[in-house]
């Protein structure tokens, strides 16, 4: 499902399990417990399950009020940020190249127009222009959607300060990897230091609490783990057999 890279290989065989009607942390824990039981039944003992929670990171992005495009960029950058070093500088440059991060909002295309006209007048003017295009030019989109999208581009998707704060947060969380209690403790310190509500950890904490005492696999948490498929919104994990490279 992802391009192969160093230490990351294509998946040739797949075994899935679906749990319908239970989106709670208890449901996540039940599926993970099932995986543990299956490994034990086939004789794979001493495996390591490395976990993270996309929902926790997504909730933090919402708290920081960054755009959807910036959220996707930030989440997909987690594996790179987990390496530490100059990874933050490299990710910041990518954000600039993609237009998500600029020197300042006033330097964004259209920011001067908004400042001159005001947002209400600009919205009216753009609305009149969009209406003049006709429905054929808009396709299936509503004119109001086009207007709001255009205004968003003019004002900039995110204030630089918000995205910079999100980058700092991600760069401090992504390298945290280890035993679940330790990871939750360290990540809580990071959130508190940045003045963020630690309730974003609650669903993941509950999943881990239900897995407490799971003896057939060793549990680790890696906050730099990410999957490049949009429908992942909760727990994600990798499994490693004893002696396999991580």
């Amino acid at each position: 499902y992802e391009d192969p890279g160093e230490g990351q290989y294509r998946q040739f065989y797949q075994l899935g399990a679906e749990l319908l009607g239970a989106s709670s942390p208890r449901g996540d824990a039940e599926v993970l417990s099932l995986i543990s039981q299956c490994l034990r039944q086939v004789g794979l003992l001493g495996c390591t399950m490395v976990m993270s929670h996309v929902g926790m990171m997504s909730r933090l992005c919402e708290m920081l009020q960054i755009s959807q495009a910036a959220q996707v960029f930030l989440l997909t950058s987690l594996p790179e940020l987990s390496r530490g070093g100059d990874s933050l500088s490299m990710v910041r440059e990518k954000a600039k190249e993609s237009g998500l991060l600029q020197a300042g909002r006033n330097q964004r295309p259209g920011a001067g127009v908004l400042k001159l006209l005001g947002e209400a007048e600009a919205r009216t003017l753009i609305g009149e222009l969009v209406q003049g295009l006709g429905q054929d030019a808009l396709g299936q989109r509503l004119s109001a959607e086009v207007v709001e999208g255009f205004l968003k581009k003019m004002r900039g998707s995110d204030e630089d300060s918000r995205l910079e704060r999100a980058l700092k947060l991600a760069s401090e969380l992504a390298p945290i990897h280890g035993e679940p209690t330790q990871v939750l403790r360290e990540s809580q310190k990071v959130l508190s230091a940045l003045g963020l509500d630690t309730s974003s950890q609650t669903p993941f904490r509950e999943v881990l609490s239900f897995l407490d005492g799971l003896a057939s696999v060793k549990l680790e948490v890696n906050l730099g783990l990410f999957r490049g498929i949009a429908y992942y919104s909760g727990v994600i994990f990798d499994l490693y057999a004893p002696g396999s490279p991580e």
Side-chain angles (χ1 to χ4, degrees):
Y1 52 81
E2 292 178 313
D3 293 334
E6 183 179 352
Q8 182 179 28
Y9 308 99
R10 287 196 181 279
Q11 180 176 324
F12 296 101
Y13 302 101
Q14 179 171 315
L15 177 65
E18 299 286 344
L19 181 60
L20 304 179
S23 59
S24 67
R26 188 182 293 273
D28 286 334
E30 184 176 345
V31 172
L32 295 172
S33 296
L34 174 64
I35 295 167
S36 174
Q37 293 172 32
C38 290
L39 292 172
R40 186 172 64 251
Q41 289 293 324
V42 298
L44 281 173
L45 304 177
C47 293
T48 300
M49 181 182 290
V50 182
M51 306 168 57
S52 189
H53 199 291
V54 177
M56 183 181 80
M57 302 303 295
S58 297
R59 176 59 184 144
L60 290 170
C61 287
E62 292 173 2
M63 289 181 181
L64 293 170
Q65 298 181 315
I66 60 175
S67 70
Q68 188 65 36
Q71 289 186 36
V72 172
F73 173 82
L74 202 67
L75 291 173
T76 54
S77 298
L78 288 175
E80 183 173 358
L81 290 169
S82 69
R83 294 194 286 269
D86 61 350
S87 60
L88 177 56
S89 297
M90 296 173 66
V91 170
R92 184 182 286 116
E93 286 304 313
K94 290 180 181 178
K96 291 179 180 177
E97 291 170 5
S98 64
L100 290 170
L101 188 63
Q102 302 288 341
R105 290 184 67 189
N106 289 338
Q107 296 180 17
R108 297 182 188 272
V113 177
L114 281 178
K115 187 174 182 180
L116 180 65
L117 295 178
E119 188 156 323
E121 189 174 348
R123 177 180 281 104
T124 300
L125 178 60
I126 295 168
E128 292 173 354
L129 292 172
V130 169
Q131 289 291 342
L133 294 174
Q135 192 59 44
D136 289 342
L138 300 179
Q140 296 183 346
R141 295 177 298 173
L142 299 175
S143 60
E145 294 175 355
V146 176
V147 171
E148 289 304 318
F150 195 80
L151 280 170
K152 190 173 183 178
K153 289 181 179 180
M154 290 178 70
R155 74 170 74 96
S157 299
D158 305 285
E159 293 183 5
D160 285 354
S161 59
R162 289 179 183 173
L163 186 49
E164 284 285 6
R165 192 178 180 209
L167 286 170
K168 176 176 173 58
L169 170 67
S171 70
E172 294 186 14
L173 287 179
I176 302 177
H177 181 177
E179 186 271 328
T181 302
Q182 169 205 340
V183 169
L184 290 174
R185 184 170 57 248
E186 290 183 19
S187 59
Q188 184 171 355
K189 288 180 180 178
V190 171
L191 299 181
S192 298
L194 291 174
L196 292 170
D197 187 354
T198 58
S199 64
S200 58
Q201 292 183 316
T202 301
F204 198 20
R205 281 185 179 276
E206 292 180 359
V207 172
L208 292 169
S209 70
F210 290 130
L211 295 175
D212 190 33
L214 196 65
S216 53
V217 297
K218 176 186 176 184
L219 293 179
E220 293 183 7
V221 174
N222 178 6
L223 296 185
L225 187 65
F226 180 71
R227 288 288 171 267
I229 302 179
Y231 60 71
Y232 285 113
S233 58
V235 172
I236 55 175
F237 63 92
D238 284 341
L239 282 168
Y240 297 94
S244 63
E246 294 191 14

